[in-house]
């Protein structure tokens, strides 16, 4: 005799051809499952309505919520912990509430509408990491006040690669604007007063973005010139390693090289195949920019300006010279060609790093 199956929720006998569900070991009928249970959107487990830890936008079992989600302190939206922003007391917020109520330090994925400063075709966006001074909104506010007196030059983001710091990010600016109008000195002095370091850490980098449009009007022309940039970096790797102030192991972790090819035309396809992703010496994976990631962080003004000037010259060479012309250029010939009047900070830095034609000079220590 066939055993009867009774729904533990409504006490109805379940027909033999009817679908059943098991919740916490109890068998329920399809009608009760539809009306009284839900399915976790992350793991697919069926749970009782009352056990749903999600909101109107997502259904979550307790385990998935505890392991992967949190709730905004203000609007009660359930958000993935990777997308949440946190204040000084580690309270969590969604992007909208954080930007409205707490917004000194944005989460890592934050991207504002860009403002372009200066007149020219080549714009540089700088990301400067600082560490060891805290992830405090009050500190971020003081740095923002130093940088945004006359305009919204910078914003600040959290960065999981830092121990106890933040990332200062600029809007795109021409080289001239960075040198003459951007309040870098005030920003750096404020960061130092607050106890931050950049060079004197094992975590901080200085990343410089350059708009791809400045390299050509078409994708084909941009890729041709990016190939020459990659070739120059690989061809002069030892000098640029010294310029960067990073160690070889730090480069391998944060800004790995692609490997030398004998002809510039081979470099970009070779780079695409290496699988380094964005942790490359020159990150080419962004849609609008290429990102020079070689440089160690710094709170010394001349070191920062010199790095931007070097990137400017490398890009200009890639635009001006063809593959045949750029191949034989050695380091000595390169530094001798730098316009001293146009790039005085770079010349000083090259001399400090013993990279300028046997003309060393003493320097202040980087911070």
């Amino acid at each position: 005799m066939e055993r009867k199956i009774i729904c533990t929720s409504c006490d109805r006998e379940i027909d033999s051809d009817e679908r059943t569900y098991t919740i916490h070991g109890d068998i329920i009928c399809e009608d009760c499952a539809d009306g009284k249970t839900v399915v976790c959107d992350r793991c697919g487990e069926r749970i009782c309505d009352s056990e749903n830890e999600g909101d109107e936008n997502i259904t979550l079992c307790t385990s998935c919520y505890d392991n992967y989600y949190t709730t905004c302190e203000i609007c009660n939206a359930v958000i993935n912990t990777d997308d949440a922003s946190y204040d000084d007391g580690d309270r969590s917020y969604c992007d909208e509430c954080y930007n409205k109520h707490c917004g000194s330090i944005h989460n890592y994925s934050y991207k504002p509408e860009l403002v372009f400063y200066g007149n020219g075709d080549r714009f540089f966006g700088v990301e400067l990491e600082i560490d060891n001074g805290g992830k405090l909104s009050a500190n971020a506010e003081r740095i923002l006040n130093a940088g945004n007196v006359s305009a919204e030059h910078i914003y600040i983001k959290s960065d999981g690669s830092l121990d106890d710091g933040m990332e200062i990010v600029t809007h795109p600016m021409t080289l001239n604007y960075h040198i003459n109008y951007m309040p870098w000195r005030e920003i750096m002095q404020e960061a130092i007063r607050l106890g931050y370091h950049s060079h004197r850490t094992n975590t901080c980098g200085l990343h410089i973005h350059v708009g791809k449009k400045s390299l050509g009007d078409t994708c084909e022309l941009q890729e041709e010139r990016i190939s020459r940039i990659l070739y120059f970096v690989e061809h002069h790797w030892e000098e640029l390693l010294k310029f960067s102030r990073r160690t070889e192991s730090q480069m391998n972790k944060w800004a790995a090289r692609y490997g030398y090819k004998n002809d510039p035309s081979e470099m970009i396809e070779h780079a695409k195949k290496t699988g380094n992703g964005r942790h490359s010496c020159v990150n080419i994976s962004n849609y609008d920019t290429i990102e020079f990631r070689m440089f160690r962080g710094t709170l010394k003004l001349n070191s920062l300006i010199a790095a931007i000037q070097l990137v400017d010259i490398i890009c200009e060479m890639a635009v001006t010279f063809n593959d045949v012309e750029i191949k034989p250029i050695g380091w000595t010939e390169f530094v001798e060609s730098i316009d001293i009047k146009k790039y005085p900070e770079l010349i000083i830095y090259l001399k400090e790093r013993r990279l300028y034609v046997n003309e060393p000079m003493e320097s202040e220590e980087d911070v």
Side-chain angles (χ1 to χ4, degrees), residues 121-188:
D121 298 324
R122 189 173 298 140
F123 290 83
F124 303 88
V126 172
E127 298 170 350
L128 174 60
E129 296 170 344
I130 57 176
D131 211 344
N132 301 341
K135 300 179 180 180
L136 304 176
S137 294
N139 287 359
E141 198 66 42
R142 288 176 61 175
I143 294 172
L144 287 168
N145 289 339
N148 293 340
V149 174
S150 60
E152 187 187 340
H153 292 125
I154 63 172
Y155 52 97
I156 293 178
K157 301 198 301 184
S158 60
D159 190 324
S161 67
L162 304 175
D163 294 329
D164 197 22
M166 58 191 74
E167 182 177 70
I168 302 167
V169 186
T170 75
H171 287 275
M173 303 170 183
T174 61
L175 176 61
N176 178 63
Y177 198 96
H178 273 289
I179 295 172
N180 295 310
Y181 301 101
M182 171 66 182
W184 276 119
R185 187 180 303 278
E186 291 77 7
I187 291 169
M188 291 177 167

Side-chain angles (χ1 to χ4, degrees), residues 122-326:
R122 189 173 298 140
F123 290 83
F124 303 88
V126 172
E127 298 170 350
L128 174 60
E129 296 170 344
I130 57 176
D131 211 344
N132 301 341
K135 300 179 180 180
L136 304 176
S137 294
N139 287 359
E141 198 66 42
R142 288 176 61 175
I143 294 172
L144 287 168
N145 289 339
N148 293 340
V149 174
S150 60
E152 187 187 340
H153 292 125
I154 63 172
Y155 52 97
I156 293 178
K157 301 198 301 184
S158 60
D159 190 324
S161 67
L162 304 175
D163 294 329
D164 197 22
M166 58 191 74
E167 182 177 70
I168 302 167
V169 186
T170 75
H171 287 275
M173 303 170 183
T174 61
L175 176 61
N176 178 63
Y177 198 96
H178 273 289
I179 295 172
N180 295 310
Y181 301 101
M182 171 66 182
W184 276 119
R185 187 180 303 278
E186 291 77 7
I187 291 169
M188 291 177 167
Q189 288 174 345
E190 189 61 49
I192 292 170
R193 278 194 290 268
L194 291 167
Y196 290 96
H197 295 109
S198 192
H199 172 87
R200 296 178 194 169
T201 71
N202 293 318
T203 54
C204 292
L206 166 63
H207 306 154
I208 301 172
H209 288 259
V210 184
K212 289 182 179 178
K213 287 183 178 180
S214 70
L215 300 175
D217 297 329
T218 66
C219 290
E220 292 77 12
L221 191 55
Q222 290 170 12
E223 290 208 346
E224 176 188 320
R225 290 167 175 174
I226 291 170
S227 278
R228 289 198 278 272
I229 290 170
L230 299 180
Y231 176 84
F232 182 91
V233 171
E234 291 292 340
H235 187 55
H236 300 292
W237 183 259
E238 292 304 319
E239 291 86 358
L240 292 176
L241 177 62
K242 191 171 183 180
F243 187 104
S244 76
R245 291 170 288 109
R246 287 189 186 271
T247 65
E248 188 78 55
S249 62
Q250 288 171 336
M251 282 289 210
N252 290 337
K253 183 176 182 179
W254 304 114
R257 66 186 300 183
Y258 290 112
Y260 178 74
K261 290 293 181 180
N262 192 48
D263 194 85
S265 63
E266 301 176 45
M267 282 303 307
I268 196 161
E269 292 305 321
H270 172 62
K272 290 176 181 178
K273 296 175 182 177
T274 61
N276 290 341
R278 68 184 186 88
H279 289 147
S280 302
C281 51
V282 182
N283 170 22
I284 61 174
S285 65
N286 296 319
Y287 184 79
D288 293 315
T289 68
I290 59 171
E291 178 190 14
F292 289 75
R293 294 178 54 89
M294 302 172 289
F295 312 111
R296 190 167 182 160
T298 182
L299 289 174
K300 182 179 173 183
L301 179 60
N302 195 83
S303 297
L304 182 141
I305 296 300
I308 304 174
Q309 290 176 338
L310 176 69
V311 170
D312 183 53
I313 293 176
I314 294 173
C315 291
E316 187 62 29
M317 290 178 64
V319 170
T320 304
F321 298 137
N322 61 34
D323 288 4
V324 174
E325 292 168 333
I326 205 169

Side-chain angles (χ1 to χ4, degrees), residues 70 79-86 92-95 98 107-108 158:
T70 186
I79 43 178
N80 192 294
T81 52
D82 291 339
D83 297 327
S85 297
Y86 299 87
S92 55
Y93 302 89
C94 68
D95 269 355
Y98 187 84
N107 67 31
Y108 185 74
S158 60

Side-chain angles (χ1 to χ4, degrees), residues 36 47-53:
K36 298 179 180 181
I47 56 176
C48 296
D49 272 341
S50 59
E51 297 173 313
N52 180 14
E53 299 287 350

